[in-house]
């Protein structure tokens, strides 16, 4: 067996299941899960119809690069959404469809890391667990950048020493962040691009929550937007990951794309041809119409906004909890240890949340997720309100 498999941590949900083992929640309260970041709003009907209409396409092998129409639709969306210079995203060269960003975030490290040079892969902490596994299986050492309330949940680039930058081959960003919801400002993205030039590393920006924001006229900026604003519309060293899972409530479609530096994407395509993860034809057809429509995405944001308003009204009087910059998570502080809070809440109120410490690692003398929980506001409004009321009752009983 590959010995690096031994380095992989149990996934947070495995740890959560162990934490809940033997606990008996009250039978009179239906269970509410705020622990899983799976969108629950209705997917757009016209996208589902497109899947059905194109089922006959299953008779053919799809190509890894995807249909030109899909690359054009995704590239058009990316250009419009981030105000990129017209034609700077050539759908032939700067973009590749992927079977959800999870596999692509993982695969990207396997393609770009040179394991012979003691590589470091940087990632925020707490973080989406794939970054760490991707780094380890690519033969790199993960190096974590703690994101805490003191630095507005953004990685502190000044805290990284020159010798760390020197060994860095790849950095994962997550903006809007999971679990913190923090959005990296353009200036910080540009600073990182300059560091990438100086120390020769690649920036992989996971932007899969970019469409879930609160103010219609203030969408979160993206890495390619920051690059273009510096006059770098070749997007050198930069790639972004976008997904239909959260934007369009289509986590089961397994559809997203990677875009940016054409040379990186050329090599990544080569890698992917061997990996063999082409999108099924019905998925491609459905993705085309999904990227072309914004009405359903705005309706989605409206639903999240209503839930954040209602839940924050209930919880702010009793918990240290803030509205995030974007995304669908709340990341409150817990008055007791996050694991005790999670177990107690399940035991007394039959609500499941995720301990923050399960999403982060001890680094630089602290575990930045400890003392917080992640609550995903994915359920319907009524259920989120019910969950918030039960969390409040639990906090008041402590
Ligand atoms: C930060 C982050 N990145 C990527 C993903 C993967 O999304 P998908 O593979 O559905 O595109 C998730 C899913 O939860 C996520 O939270």
């Amino acid at each position: 067996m590959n010995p690096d498999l031994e380095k992989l941590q149990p996934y947070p949900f495995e740890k959560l299941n162990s934490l809940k083992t033997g606990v008996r929640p009250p039978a009179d309260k239906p269970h509410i899960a705020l622990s899983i970041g799976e969108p629950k709003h209705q997917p757009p009907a016209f996208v589902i119809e497109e899947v059905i209409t194109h089922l006959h396409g299953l008779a053919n092998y799809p190509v890894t690069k995807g249909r030109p129409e899909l690359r054009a639709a995704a590239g058009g969306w990316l250009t419009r959404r981030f105000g990129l210079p017209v034609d700077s995203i050539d759908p032939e060269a700067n973009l590749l469809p992927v079977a959800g960003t999870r596999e692509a975030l993982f695969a990207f490290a396997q393609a770009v890391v040179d394991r012979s040079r003691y590589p470091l892969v940087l990632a925020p902490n707490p973080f989406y667990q794939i970054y760490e596994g991707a780094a380890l299986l690519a033969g790199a050492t993960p190096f974590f950048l703690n994101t805490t309330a003191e630095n507005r949940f953004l990685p502190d680039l000044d805290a990284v020493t020159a010798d760390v930058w020197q060994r860095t081959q790849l950095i994962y960003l997550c903006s809007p962040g999971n679990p913190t919801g923090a959005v990296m400002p353009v200036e910080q993205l540009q600073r990182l691009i300059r560091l990438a030039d100086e120390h020769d590393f690649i920036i992989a920006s996971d932007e899969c929550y970019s469409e879930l924001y609160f103010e219609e006229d203030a969408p979160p900026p993206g890495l390619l937007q920051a690059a273009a604003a510096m006059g770098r519309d070749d997007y050198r060293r930069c790639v972004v990951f976008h997904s239909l899972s959260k934007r369009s409530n289509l986590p089961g479609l397994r559809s997203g794309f990677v875009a940016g530096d054409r040379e990186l994407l050329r090599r990544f395509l080569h890698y992917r041809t061997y990996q063999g993860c082409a999108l099924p034809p019905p998925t491609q057809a459905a993705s085309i119409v999904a990227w072309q429509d914004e009405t359903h995405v705005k309706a989605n944001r409206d639903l999240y906004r209503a839930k954040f308003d209602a839940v924050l009204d209930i919880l702010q009087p009793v918990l240290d909890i803030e509205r995030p910059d974007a995304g669908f998570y709340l990341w409150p502080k817990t008055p007791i240890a996050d694991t005790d809070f999670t177990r107690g809440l399940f035991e007394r109120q039959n609500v499941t949340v995720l301990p923050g410490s399960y999403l982060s690692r001890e680094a630089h003398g602290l575990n930045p997720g400890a003392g917080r929980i992640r609550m995903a506001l994915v359920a319907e409004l009524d259920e989120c309100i019910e969950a918030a009321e039960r969390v409040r009752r639990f906090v008041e009983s402590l």
Side-chain angles (χ1 to χ4, degrees), residues 71-384:
R71 295 196 305 274
W77 174 80
L78 184 71
T79 306
R80 284 191 303 280
R81 163 65 175 82
F82 293 99
L84 304 180
V86 177
D87 298 334
S88 68
I89 296 293
D90 174 359
E92 273 304 302
N94 296 101
L95 188 141
L96 275 180
V98 296
T101 48
R102 179 181 181 134
E103 64 90 355
L105 287 160
F106 177 82
F108 190 68
Q110 316 313 309
V112 303
V113 167
D114 174 357
R115 58 173 68 227
S116 70
R117 294 192 297 128
Y118 304 102
L120 293 179
V121 170
L122 274 49
N125 187 34
F127 59 98
Y128 180 51
Q129 302 295 293
I130 300 303
Y131 311 150
E132 182 188 55
L136 291 169
L137 288 184
T141 304
F143 183 94
F144 291 112
L145 306 177
N146 291 345
T147 60
T148 57
E150 289 69 46
N151 50 29
R152 298 206 66 314
F153 303 111
L154 297 173
D156 179 2
L157 303 180
D158 292 320
V160 181
T161 57
D163 54 306
V164 167
W165 286 129
Q166 219 41 55
R167 280 178 61 200
T168 301
Q169 292 187 11
L170 172 67
I171 179 169
Y172 284 108
L173 304 180
C174 188
S175 175
N178 171 6
T180 65
V183 168
M184 284 182 81
V186 168
E187 301 69 39
Q188 197 184 20
L189 294 168
Q190 293 179 336
R191 167 110 201 277
L192 193 60
I193 294 172
R194 284 191 284 272
L195 284 162
D197 276 347
E198 196 181 326
H199 300 288
D200 188 20
F201 61 83
I202 296 164
I203 310 172
S205 184
D206 177 356
E207 301 178 358
C208 76
Y209 292 93
S210 68
E211 303 317 287
L212 307 183
Y213 51 89
F214 298 103
E215 309 220 0
E216 285 300 320
D217 55 357
L223 180 67
L224 300 190
Q225 177 184 354
M230 298 164 83
R232 281 168 84 101
D233 58 11
D234 61 354
Y235 307 120
R236 205 158 22 100
R237 305 181 193 287
C238 298
V239 288
V240 294
F241 295 74
H242 281 279
S243 172
L244 289 174
S245 300
K246 326 289 183 195
R247 172 187 180 270
S248 301
N249 301 313
L250 290 163
L253 189 64
R254 309 312 300 132
S255 179
F257 67 83
V258 182
D261 183 324
R262 66 168 61 210
E263 182 51 23
L264 291 175
L265 284 165
R266 188 180 68 76
R267 306 293 295 276
F268 191 37
L269 173 61
H270 192 209
Y271 173 88
R272 295 179 68 73
T273 312
Y274 281 87
Q275 170 127 335
C277 38
L279 270 63
T283 303
Q284 294 197 42
S287 304
I288 293 169
V289 295
W291 287 118
Q292 286 168 337
D293 182 72
E294 286 302 321
T295 310
H296 74 280
V297 190
K298 170 153 186 332
N300 198 26
R301 278 195 289 278
D302 291 343
L303 291 177
Y304 281 116
R305 197 177 294 115
K307 291 195 283 189
F308 274 93
D309 288 348
V311 168
L312 284 169
D313 270 356
I314 297 165
L315 290 182
Q316 263 171 341
V318 296
L319 270 183
D320 185 345
I321 187 169
E322 279 180 37
R323 185 185 294 265
D325 295 339
F328 58 44
Y329 299 110
L330 285 167
W331 183 236
K333 266 193 178 162
T334 48
I336 55 175
D338 52 327
T339 42
D340 293 341
F341 189 95
T342 301
R343 203 179 26 230
L345 179 65
F346 178 61
E347 186 169 33
R348 294 215 231 135
Q349 298 292 342
N350 208 2
V351 172
T352 304
V353 296
L354 192 60
S357 56
Y358 290 3
L359 292 168
S360 51
R361 302 280 175 263
E362 173 97 24
H364 318 292
L366 80 144
N367 183 332
R372 291 187 179 269
I373 47 163
R374 190 185 78 174
M375 300 166 62
L377 296 195
V378 289
E380 296 299 333
L381 176 65
D382 288 355
E383 213 184 9
C384 286

